[in-house]
């Protein structure tokens, strides 16, 4: 467990983040180590999981189960954990570490291992709720100047139409989207329809985290495409959402869906439906970010991901070469073995607040 402080607080409709306690998973076999990151927060605000629930299910259920097994592929990890309900973020920590370990031991990058086709991926930035509109517009222009290809604004009731209008004025033709993180209900449909005037790429998760039916009703009256985030917890939910017309696109977060197995499944379901996907973010440190880049190298990731430069959140990242956004708004996918990044072990030790070790055999 490491502690990292954000360079600037990040505020969404459900709360404000100043720092992250990040549970990392380091999985070792035959002297090779693989790394994963768990994107749960202190409180169950984005989803029902927390850092403490992740810790509990890993230590008391998942790890003891896995230590008794022979695991040949990440699908074996997913299959072993399938009988345990929920806890996707905790499961993802294990799948990610296993994937890194397995790819490293074969000497290939995760991108190669999963059939990724891009060596650079287009990126956008997610901008939080600010104290006033001019401060947000300043953030928008600063990030556009850094090359980001798409701007996403966090919205909530009272911080929506005027905000989007002002940003549209300052950024008239660029790719712009909004993310409500479940802050509205279907009773707000007429209000949300007014967002159609701003030519948004999408509105992300306007309604409840566990809803597909009200989103279907809302999408019927909205011209702006709905993108589901919180509601898509596995590939079956993605198939249902697309069949119902609850959304037109989906963001994939490996953490939210339990790891690579479901993330790849969602990618394929969306591709079969002709629905684009993009890679979401959970304020990851360099380890989670490297996994996101590998995933986003797949062909149907056709829209810019929430994969910002390390410096967007961290004064110092946990990897030796922080991620940078090039002037063309892309980030390179590491091509070394596994996640392809080197861990800054000294820094990691310095910010480690707790550690638990589990040994098999
Ligand atoms: O990693 O740049 C990032 C964050 C992107 O906005 C982002 N994530 O709902 O998409 C989302 C939010 C969830 C995190 S809120 C703490
Ligand atoms: Mg979102």
């Amino acid at each position: 467990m490491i502690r990292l402080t954000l360079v600037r607080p990040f505020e969404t409709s459900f709360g404000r983040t100043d720092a992250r306690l990040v549970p990392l998973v380091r999985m070792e076999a035959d002297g090779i180590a693989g790394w994963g990151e768990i994107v749960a927060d202190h409180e169950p605000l984005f989803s029902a999981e927390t850092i403490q629930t992740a810790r509990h299910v890993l230590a008391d259920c998942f790890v003891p189960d896995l230590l008794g097994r022979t695991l040949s592929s990440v699908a074996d990890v997913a299959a072993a954990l399938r009988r345990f309900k929920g806890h996707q973020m905790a499961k993802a920590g294990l799948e990610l570490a296993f994937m890194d370990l397995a790819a490293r031991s074969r000497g290939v990058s995760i991108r190669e291992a999963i059939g990724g086709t891009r060596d650079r991926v287009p990126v956008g930035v997610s901008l939080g709720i600010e104290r006033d509109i001019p401060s947000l517009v300043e953030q928008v222009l600063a990030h556009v100047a850094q090359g980001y290809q798409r701007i996403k604004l966090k919205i909530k009731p009272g911080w929506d139409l005027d905000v989007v209008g002002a940003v549209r004025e300052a950024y008239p033709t660029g790719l712009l989207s909004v993310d409500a993180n479940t802050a509205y209900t279907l009773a707000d449909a007429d209000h949300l329809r007014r967002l159609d005037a701003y030519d948004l790429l999408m509105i992300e998760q306007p309604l409840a985290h566990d809803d597909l039916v009200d989103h279907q009703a809302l999408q019927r009256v909205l011209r702006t495409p709905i993108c589901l985030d919180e509601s898509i917890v596995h590939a079956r939910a993605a198939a249902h959402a697309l069949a119902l017309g609850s959304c037109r696109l989906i963001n994939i977060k490996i953490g939210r869906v339990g790891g690579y197995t479901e993330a790849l499944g969602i990618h394929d379901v969306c591709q079969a439906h002709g629905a684009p996907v993009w890679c979401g973010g959970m304020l990851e440190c360099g380890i989670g970010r490297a996994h996101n880049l590998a995933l986003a190298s797949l062909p149907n990731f056709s829209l810019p991901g929430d994969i910002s430069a390390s410096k967007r959140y961290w004064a110092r990242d946990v990897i030796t070469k922080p991620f940078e956004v090039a002037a063309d708004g892309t980030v390179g996918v590491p091509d070394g073995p596994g996640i392809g990044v080197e861990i800054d072990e000294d820094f990691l030790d310095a910010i480690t607040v707790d550690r638990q070790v589990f040994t098999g055999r």
Side-chain angles (χ1 to χ4, degrees):
M1 184 93 72
I2 59 169
R3 194 186 146 81
L4 278 173
T5 304
L6 272 69
V7 291
R8 202 162 187 281
F10 182 70
E11 189 172 327
T12 69
S13 63
F14 60 72
R16 190 179 158 103
T17 308
D18 299 282
R20 276 191 73 206
L21 263 184
V22 190
L24 297 173
V25 178
R26 180 178 184 279
M27 200 182 281
E28 190 182 310
D30 302 330
I32 300 175
W35 289 88
E37 173 170 346
I38 296 177
V39 297
D41 206 343
H42 303 260
E43 296 178 300
L45 293 171
F46 177 85
S47 76
E49 287 188 82
T50 68
I51 293 164
Q52 291 306 333
T53 65
R55 202 189 168 94
H56 153 57
V57 293
L58 281 179
D60 300 331
C61 314
F62 301 170
V63 172
D65 183 291
L66 292 185
L67 282 174
R69 293 175 187 266
T70 301
L71 302 164
S72 311
S73 71
V74 77
D76 289 347
V77 178
L81 299 178
R82 194 160 291 140
R83 70 195 174 94
F84 298 115
K85 310 294 187 289
H87 298 284
Q88 286 91 338
M89 292 174 177
K91 288 176 179 174
L94 292 167
E95 271 206 30
L96 266 54
F98 185 91
M99 191 69 153
D100 186 27
L101 171 58
R104 282 179 198 263
S105 64
R106 286 170 49 206
V108 299
S109 64
I110 295 180
R111 176 174 68 122
E112 278 176 87
I114 65 176
T117 50
R118 292 165 220 268
D119 56 9
R120 301 195 66 82
V121 304
V123 300
V125 70
S126 172
L127 299 177
I129 293 165
E130 293 283 335
R131 73 175 174 279
D132 53 34
I133 293 177
S135 313
L136 176 65
V137 170
E138 189 185 310
Q139 287 293 313
V140 169
L141 297 178
H143 285 87
V144 170
Q146 287 174 41
Y148 286 100
Q149 294 189 25
R150 182 268 290 139
I151 299 292
K152 159 168 143 184
L153 308 175
K154 291 292 186 180
I155 59 166
K156 64 176 183 182
W159 181 265
D160 50 20
L161 299 172
D162 297 348
V163 174
V164 176
V167 169
R168 240 325 167 213
E169 215 163 281
Y171 182 56
T173 55
L175 297 183
L176 183 64
S177 67
V178 294
D179 186 356
N181 288 109
T182 77
Y184 299 89
T185 71
L186 194 52
D188 300 311
D190 286 338
H191 179 74
L192 292 172
R193 280 175 67 183
R194 296 173 62 195
L195 286 170
D196 280 345
Y198 300 110
D199 197 22
L200 299 176
L201 193 58
M202 70 191 83
I203 175 170
E204 201 177 319
Q205 196 74 38
L207 311 180
H209 72 283
D210 54 357
D211 169 81
L212 294 179
V213 172
D214 284 355
H215 278 108
Q216 176 197 48
L218 182 63
Q219 182 66 89
R220 284 189 180 142
V221 300
L222 271 191
R223 200 162 49 86
T224 306
I226 293 177
C227 170
L228 289 179
D229 176 354
E230 284 89 331
S231 292
I232 308 301
V233 291
H234 38 50
R236 190 164 38 78
H240 290 172
L242 292 170
L244 288 169
S246 312
C247 63
R248 298 202 191 121
L249 35 135
I250 287 175
N251 94 21
I252 303 184
K253 292 179 178 166
I254 337 182
R256 188 192 70 223
V257 306
Y260 280 97
T261 307
E262 289 298 319
L264 297 173
I266 296 171
H267 172 270
D268 296 350
V269 164
C270 290
Q271 196 158 35
H273 270 82
V277 299
W278 55 279
C279 184
M282 291 295 287
L283 314 169
E284 286 90 346
C285 72
I287 292 171
R289 213 159 280 263
H291 280 284
N292 287 345
L293 283 163
L295 183 71
S297 72
L298 288 168
N300 195 38
F301 279 80
S302 47
L303 292 169
D306 278 344
I307 310 175
S308 47
S310 295
K311 69 170 189 194
R312 151 90 177 102
Y313 293 113
W314 318 118
R316 182 168 173 188
D317 205 338
V318 303
I319 52 180
T320 53
K321 268 181 56 199
F323 287 115
E324 285 174 6
V325 173
D328 68 351
T330 62
V331 178
V333 182
D335 58 5
I339 49 174
V341 295
E342 202 187 313
I343 310 296
D344 183 342
E345 306 270 0
D346 291 340
F347 181 52
L348 207 64
D349 277 346
I351 59 174
T352 296
V353 296
D354 191 17
R355 181 182 273 130
Q356 272 179 285
V357 181
F358 305 88
T359 311
R361 275 185 290 137

